[in-house]
Amino acid sequence: MSDLTVGKKTKLSRRALLGASASTAAALATPALAQEKATIEWKMVTSWPKNLPGPGVTAQRIADQVTKMSGGQLRIRLYAAGELVPALGVFEAVSAGTAQMAHTASFFWQGKIPASVFFTAIPFGLLPHEHITWIEQGGGQTLWDELYAPFGLKPVMAGNTGVQMGGWYKRDIAGLDDLKGLKIRMPGLGGEVMRRLGATPVSLPPGELFQALQSGVLDATEFLGPWSDRAMGFHKVAKSYYTPGFHEPNGTGEALFNKLALDGLPEELRTIVLEACRAENGRALAESDWENAGSLKLLQEEDGVTIKPYPDDVLTALRETAKVVLEEFAGKDPLARRIYESNIAARERLAPWSNVAMRRFMAARDGAA
């Protein structure tokens, strides 16, 4: 666990921190000493450019809210991608105690923990409200905790960028043959699905995507939705914006905590941190939906972007290949199988209700029923 500071200078171990907490409680009983509260300082490292619309905004808001709700007793300093550690180095940084927490996305860890992808999104999987329900009500959080426990980490949901778009393409996709040799940035299991259909997935952190698309390192890239994507400038390089985002029907942000640091907090501060993350799930989703709608209009009306659907044969191939990939993936180890089965069970339980309650209503509302 990295250093925790009281005031500006004194460095404390976890044991000393707990002692400081007790001293602080005693001080609160004496009004004259009320200003002698211990100040705990944390570092948050992120995988995003600073204040990136969507996840970058969420990360900063969490840090600000914790500071505010704790009355300044817990202060979190945010380090954007590359400021303290690389964008994709935040997992190791928090595990090692270089920082006490991170804001990122779980699918970045597919290489070291394949089952982590389930806690962002899987192809043709759960929608945002369904994913939150799985984590909160369907046993997903317990499995997530078990998956990260060997690394000394506690993961929680922390924001949501909503349903994703299919990506930006410099050449049109008219059929399956157009996927052959396509250099595309698509993390998670969606990238594996694309690979099996002939594309070449390229793994790059968010901050490198625009230059890679512009230079030709990439022929296509997905990221999030119109709000974040427009801020990244992809429309300046590619004018074809494909839908649906089959690979990411949900955009859960991930807060990672060094478990020793989190457990070492006084209970009231620990509750503030976790509830600040939980509050972002609804707030960020509402913000993303609102801003995505406005940015989509700007992309079409001001930036000359054309929204294009994946052809039916491509979607069919993607869906059938995704089933094979997921089934193979589930056979990797017993925990991966349990996570897979839990996620599929949640989809089977929730999808009929989503269909009856939402799909049919939307069709009726739009006059298509």
Side-chain angles (χ1 to χ4, degrees):
M1 181 173 68
S2 61
D3 293 339
L4 299 169
T5 63
V6 174
K8 294 183 178 178
K9 300 294 184 182
T10 307
K11 295 183 178 179
L12 293 178
S13 66
R14 180 186 175 194
R15 179 176 297 177
L17 170 61
L18 297 175
S21 301
S23 299
T24 300
L28 289 176
T30 307
L33 300 178
Q35 294 183 352
E36 298 300 318
K37 289 182 180 180
T39 298
I40 302 168
E41 296 180 357
W42 270 19
K43 299 183 184 76
M44 178 203 289
V45 289
T46 82
S47 295
W48 324 114
K50 194 170 186 63
N51 290 322
L52 173 71
V57 170
T58 277
Q60 186 64 63
R61 191 156 53 213
I62 290 171
D64 293 343
Q65 287 295 100
V66 168
T67 299
K68 184 182 298 184
M69 289 192 293
S70 70
Q73 190 176 358
L74 175 57
R75 298 181 181 275
I76 299 178
R77 180 176 177 182
L78 186 149
Y79 293 85
E83 290 184 341
L84 187 62
V85 298
L88 302 185
V90 302
F91 187 99
E92 288 82 1
V94 177
S95 179
T98 303
Q100 288 83 3
M101 70 176 294
H103 193 271
T104 184
S106 69
F107 59 32
F108 289 142
W109 324 130
Q110 182 179 353
K112 62 172 66 67
I113 321 174
S116 66
V117 297
F118 278 85
F119 299 98
T120 301
I122 60 171
F124 300 98
L126 300 172
L127 289 166
H129 69 285
E130 295 171 331
H131 183 90
I132 291 171
T133 302
W134 173 51
I135 297 295
E136 293 272 8
Q137 299 293 322
Q141 184 66 58
T142 299
L143 291 166
W144 201 4
D145 289 342
E146 183 178 349
L147 186 66
Y148 283 28
F151 302 92
L153 296 173
K154 164 68 176 179
V156 298
M157 295 182 293
N160 199 308
T161 51
V163 177
Q164 313 293 284
M165 287 289 287
W168 298 85
Y169 288 74
K170 295 171 75 171
R171 64 174 192 247
D172 285 348
I173 305 299
L176 283 170
D177 286 345
D178 293 316
L179 296 180
K180 303 288 172 49
L182 183 82
K183 294 174 292 184
I184 182 170
R185 186 267 190 179
M186 183 172 282
L189 296 181
E192 175 60 17
V193 171
M194 279 286 195
R195 186 188 70 79
R196 296 196 185 195
L197 293 177
T200 303
V202 180
S203 179
L204 289 173
E208 298 178 19
L209 296 181
F210 176 81
Q211 184 176 358
L213 192 64
Q214 185 179 48
S215 67
V217 170
L218 294 175
D219 301 314
T221 187
E222 64 75 55
F223 185 47
L224 296 173
W227 184 32
S228 301
D229 289 7
R230 190 170 189 262
M232 295 285 275
F234 300 136
H235 61 284
K236 299 174 183 177
V237 183
K239 295 297 183 182
S240 294
Y241 200 17
Y242 275 80
T243 184
F246 75 93
H247 62 299
E248 273 182 65
N250 170 64
T252 289
E254 176 182 69
L256 291 175
F257 295 96
N258 180 288
K259 196 166 186 307
L260 284 176
L262 184 65
D263 290 348
L265 289 176
E267 183 178 0
E268 65 274 16
L269 293 184
R270 187 164 61 250
T271 299
I272 285 172
V273 170
L274 294 176
E275 289 303 318
C277 291
R278 176 175 285 163
E280 267 301 304
N281 296 323
R283 185 172 183 175
L285 184 57
E287 182 178 56
S288 291
D289 279 349
W290 185 262
E291 296 294 345
N292 279 335
S295 295
L296 180 64
K297 183 178 176 68
L298 293 175
L299 286 169
Q300 293 176 290
E301 296 182 358
E302 295 186 9
D303 301 326
V305 170
T306 302
I307 308 301
K308 298 181 177 180
Y310 283 117
D312 288 343
D313 65 326
V314 172
L315 276 177
T316 297
L318 290 168
R319 185 168 52 250
E320 294 306 312
T321 304
K323 293 177 184 177
V324 175
V325 168
L326 286 168
E327 186 58 41
E328 290 179 2
F329 171 87
K332 288 182 178 293
D333 60 73
L335 181 54
R337 168 62 66 177
R338 286 164 50 213
I339 292 170
Y340 165 79
E341 290 177 349
S342 175
N343 187 274
I344 295 301
R347 188 175 70 182
E348 290 175 350
R349 178 186 178 105
L350 296 170
W353 170 237
S354 295
N355 183 54
V356 168
M358 298 180 66
R359 189 202 305 266
R360 294 179 184 276
F361 169 77
M362 291 178 70
R365 184 181 65 181
D366 297 340

